Amino acid sequence: MMEIVMRETGGFRASGSLGTDVLLCLRGQLGGLVSPYLEPERRTVFLALSEAGLRVSDFEGGLISSRTTSLIAGPKEVHQELVKMAIRASI
């Protein structure tokens, strides 16, 4: 997926701190978040993104649950593109 993201967006931010990335996303300074594996205790952070009006789903664009480990979050347009990239990358 990283090859597709680099080719189609010209770059990405390698996440260092999920908390920082969530805050940047909530402030509109980060277009979206992609996490191919998220530990169970850290999944709740995506509730804040959902409550803020961002679209949150699994890598296929489906609803998330307590068992979901791969998550995508972002504004509607960005989210749709990130899901397409994840599907094309067969993640």
Side-chain angles (χ1 to χ4, degrees):
M1 181 174 177
M2 292 302 177
E3 290 177 29
I4 294 171
V5 171
M6 287 297 290
R7 183 175 59 247
E8 295 189 15
T9 66
F12 64 95
R13 179 183 190 280
S15 178
S17 164
L18 180 62
T20 300
D21 289 347
V22 168
L23 290 174
L24 290 173
C25 202
L26 289 171
R27 292 180 64 180
Q29 295 175 302
L30 186 62
L33 291 172
V34 175
S35 179
Y37 178 76
L38 194 61
E39 299 87 0
E41 64 274 8
R42 300 180 84 188
R43 291 181 199 147
T44 56
V45 76
F46 281 83
L47 290 173
L49 296 171
S50 180
E51 289 294 319
L54 300 175
R55 192 168 281 181
V56 181
S57 75
D58 62 15
F59 270 32
E60 291 80 37
L63 298 174
I64 60 171
S65 71
S66 61
R67 296 175 187 220
T68 304
T69 57
S70 58
L71 300 169
I72 294 176
K76 181 180 176 182
E77 300 78 20
V78 172
H79 180 270
Q80 291 171 341
E81 290 304 313
L82 291 172
V83 169
K84 288 179 191 176
M85 288 181 206
I87 291 171
R88 279 196 315 238
S90 300
I91 295 177

